[in-house]
Amino acid sequence: MNARLATVSTAAAVLVLTPLLTASAQAADILLSQGRQVVSSTMRDASSGAGNAVDGNAATSWRSADRPDPQWIRMDLGQRAAVHRVRLTWGAGPAAAYRVEVSDDGSQWRQASLVTDGDGGVDDLTGLSAHGRFVRVVDLAPGTGHPLGELAVYGIPDSTGDGTAPTAGTGSVSSQAGAITATTAGLSWAEATDDVGVTGYDVLRDGKVIATTTTPAYTDTGLTPGTAYRYTVRARDAAGNTSSSAGELKVTTPQGKAGTYVLAAAGDIAAQCTASDSKCVHPKTAAQVGAMNPNAVITMGDNQYDDAHIEDFQKYFDKTWGRFKDIMHPVPGNHETYDHTPLGAYKKYFGKIATPQGKTYYSWELGNWHFVALDSTQFDKEFTAGKSEQLDWLKQDLAANKKGCVAAYYHHPRFSSGDHGDNRTVADIWSTLVKGKVDLVLNGHDHHYERFAPQNVDGRKDPNGPVQIIGGTGGMDLYPVHAEHPSTEKLLSAFGVLRLDLTDTGFATKLLGTDGSTLDSSPAYTCH
């Protein structure tokens, strides 16, 4: 057994620290972690998932895949808490070096402890002075996956004794010029304050809660043209206290075309697990797709893991997302190239919808929208055959388009704050889409969610460029996120499905979590 004191980083000035613990404060610590929601960067197989580290059974363990890059396991405590102790029970072949981090939002992380001489057994890290809602252990000595039997976090939740409600902020709910369309209402309000911290906002339409968001802005979609609505907002803290409602905003949507469309989209979807495993995510994201009742479904590659064989498609993807196959417009990812014949099982499973125009890239239309589905695996250094042909086709397709709005989607993102980072291999695709006045670009590959402001060829903010969204959140284990790009507007490490609300002249997007909550809501955009 190893009893350790926390190793404090030299960057301690940026940590959120609590005062040194007194004996009475130590006695008040409780176990915060058992049974909490956990996710991991990878897992070796279906029997070594992240949930094993918080099930109270040391005989089970989380074990990452054998990979050369740092692996991690992340826990959501459910609310912010003072974290005073972390106890890790390692199996055979423990991590020799790892870092314990905390975060308020699951995106920005602060070091709480650093271990560089791990030797197995139990590491009991005491004397910590960290504070946050999320706790993450990052294995700094990857290679062979290291088994973690139990991850126990002790401390004091902020909600203990917290009976003070947040303020409602100042002023009323408001909307900017152009934010109210025939079918959407873009809302904003002043940030609320709380003695502990605001965790979210309830958005009410005509007195009923329609969404919860973590930011002081929301776009309501699917409205009826020529109809009056009333909006207000109330803030919420970790203890469940709610503020009074902010001042009411009354809006009337202008008369317009009622023909709107809802699309569902995600990438990196079907891990090798089924709904019988409560930790399996792709059945949950598929349920959210069903709840949307979308007009069409887009997938942004890596539809099936790990090597995307036909039996895997049939056993896993087909049982969840496969029920939407009749309205699905897929593209392949790198995992589809790992089949015995690259893209062989992908083409066999999807049939004609994988190659509706004879190639693994194609275009299709819905209303006033033109969609371009691209195969970015052809731009990988190992599969460059067809690259120039596809680029020529893309330029011709965009030039021939007669629709007013254009969206493109493919697996590898040009810009990313995730584990894979920026992809220069698809720079030619991106520059062609920018020059072609494309409005929206969807990607996967990195297992996180990231929404960018409109960007130019170089990734700088430019209202004339497309909005890029990474939605590699369909079910496979999430990846860590890193420093945001200057044009990033929202960065999350969370599972979910993109909802696209399209009109004949614009669009708005949402990220819906596995429980149906709104994790992010974009502004309403007008097509170029």
Side-chain angles (χ1 to χ4, degrees):
M1 176 177 290
N2 303 313
R4 303 174 181 270
L5 291 176
T7 301
V8 180
S9 165
T10 56
V14 301
L15 295 178
V16 178
L17 301 177
T18 58
L20 292 176
L21 299 176
T22 64
S24 60
Q26 287 276 22
D29 284 353
I30 63 172
L31 178 62
L32 303 170
S33 53
Q34 189 164 330
R36 290 295 181 182
Q37 182 179 11
V38 287
V39 295
S40 59
S41 53
T42 62
M43 61 181 178
R44 170 166 288 187
D45 52 46
S47 65
S48 57
N52 292 339
V54 293
D55 61 1
N57 182 2
T60 62
S61 63
W62 165 67
R63 188 164 190 160
S64 68
D66 297 345
R67 289 179 50 161
D69 49 329
Q71 301 299 297
W72 52 266
I73 182 170
R74 189 194 75 178
M75 174 187 303
D76 182 355
L77 299 177
Q79 60 180 295
R80 291 181 176 90
V83 176
H84 300 148
R85 176 188 176 198
V86 177
R87 190 173 187 269
L88 304 98
T89 304
W90 296 99
Y98 60 90
R99 184 172 60 241
V100 178
E101 302 172 329
V102 296
S103 171
D104 293 324
D105 58 7
S107 297
Q108 304 298 320
W109 294 92
R110 306 179 294 273
Q111 180 173 298
S113 181
L114 176 66
V115 173
T116 58
D117 58 348
D119 56 3
V122 176
D123 285 346
D124 202 353
L125 310 179
T126 60
L128 304 182
S129 298
H131 186 274
R133 172 171 174 164
F134 299 88
V135 177
R136 182 169 73 176
V137 178
V138 182
D139 184 353
L140 302 176
T144 300
H146 302 126
L148 179 60
E150 284 297 308
L151 172 60
V153 179
Y154 298 84
I156 304 173
D158 286 357
S159 61
T160 302
D162 179 11
T164 303
T167 67
T170 57
S172 303
V173 180
S174 61
S175 63
Q176 296 180 345
I180 307 299
T181 72
T183 57
T184 64
L187 313 173
S188 62
W189 54 90
E191 290 190 15
T193 59
D194 185 67
D195 59 336
V196 176
V198 175
T199 59
Y201 301 90
D202 295 335
V203 181
L204 294 84
R205 183 209 305 142
D206 296 334
K208 296 181 179 180
V209 176
I210 58 170
T212 298
T213 178
T214 58
T215 59
Y218 180 76
T219 299
D220 192 15
T221 58
L223 304 178
T224 303
T227 304
Y229 297 97
R230 296 178 292 107
Y231 292 98
T232 189
V233 172
R234 61 191 182 208
R236 184 180 296 276
D237 66 14
N241 302 308
T242 57
S243 71
S244 57
S245 298
E248 187 175 82
L249 171 67
K250 296 180 180 180
V251 303
T252 299
T253 53
Q255 294 290 344
K257 197 168 184 178
T260 61
Y261 304 94
V262 174
L263 273 67
D268 308 274
I269 298 169
Q272 293 185 6
C273 59
T274 64
S276 61
D277 180 358
S278 62
K279 301 161 192 168
C280 191
V281 177
H282 64 93
K284 300 175 184 177
T285 54
Q288 292 306 314
V289 175
M292 288 185 210
N293 190 27
N295 298 98
V297 175
I298 287 172
T299 68
M300 289 92 79
D302 282 2
N303 304 276
Q304 178 60 59
Y305 285 81
D306 280 326
D307 297 333
H309 301 314
I310 187 62
E311 59 267 27
D312 297 326
F313 269 108
Q314 293 167 343
K315 187 175 181 180
Y316 304 110
F317 184 94
D318 189 64
K319 299 298 188 293
T320 56
W321 283 66
R323 49 192 272 229
F324 311 108
K325 202 169 166 184
D326 289 343
I327 58 171
M328 190 171 286
H329 303 272
V331 294
N334 52 290
H335 277 266
E336 273 81 30
T337 68
Y338 301 161
D339 186 33
H340 307 301
T341 300
L343 302 186
Y346 169 79
K347 294 177 182 178
K348 182 175 182 179
Y349 174 76
F350 284 111
K352 188 63 176 177
I353 67 172
T355 57
Q357 295 162 7
K359 304 287 185 179
T360 50
Y361 49 89
Y362 56 94
S363 60
W364 56 283
E365 293 178 340
L366 181 66
N368 196 36
W369 279 82
H370 182 76
F371 293 88
V372 184
L374 299 172
D375 180 1
S376 61
T377 69
Q378 291 189 351
F379 293 76
D380 186 276
K381 60 184 179 181
E382 295 181 11
F383 301 93
T384 56
K387 172 181 174 180
S388 60
E389 178 185 349
Q390 185 176 175
L391 270 178
D392 290 340
W393 173 88
L394 173 60
K395 293 172 184 176
Q396 294 168 9
D397 182 82
L398 292 175
N401 169 52
K402 303 298 182 183
K403 298 294 183 178
C405 300
V406 183
Y409 57 101
Y410 49 98
H411 188 58
H412 300 83
R414 174 64 184 93
F415 303 105
S416 172
S417 302
D419 206 33
H420 291 296
D422 295 350
N423 287 274
R424 292 182 175 85
T425 58
V426 294
D428 288 340
I429 291 180
W430 177 257
S431 62
T432 302
L433 298 177
V434 173
K435 292 173 185 176
K437 301 295 183 182
V438 170
D439 302 289
L440 176 65
V441 175
L442 304 177
N443 305 114
H445 196 47
D446 260 333
H447 300 186
H448 74 282
Y449 171 84
E450 188 167 9
R451 177 172 56 81
F452 296 81
Q455 303 173 93
N456 64 13
V457 171
D458 299 318
R460 298 188 180 94
K461 290 184 180 181
D462 184 345
N464 297 310
V467 173
Q468 179 196 339
I469 300 178
I470 299 173
T473 56
M476 195 56 182
D477 290 338
L478 298 171
Y479 288 167
V481 293
H482 306 289
E484 297 181 357
H485 277 262
S487 54
T488 298
E489 292 196 331
K490 189 69 173 181
L491 180 64
L492 290 172
S493 182
F495 293 111
V497 180
L498 280 170
R499 174 184 169 124
L500 312 178
D501 288 275
L502 311 179
T503 70
D504 283 348
T505 58
F507 66 98
T509 70
K510 296 177 184 177
L511 177 66
L512 302 181
T514 55
D515 61 356
S517 63
T518 300
L519 304 180
D520 182 47
S521 177
S522 80
Y525 289 100
T526 300
C527 295
H528 299 317

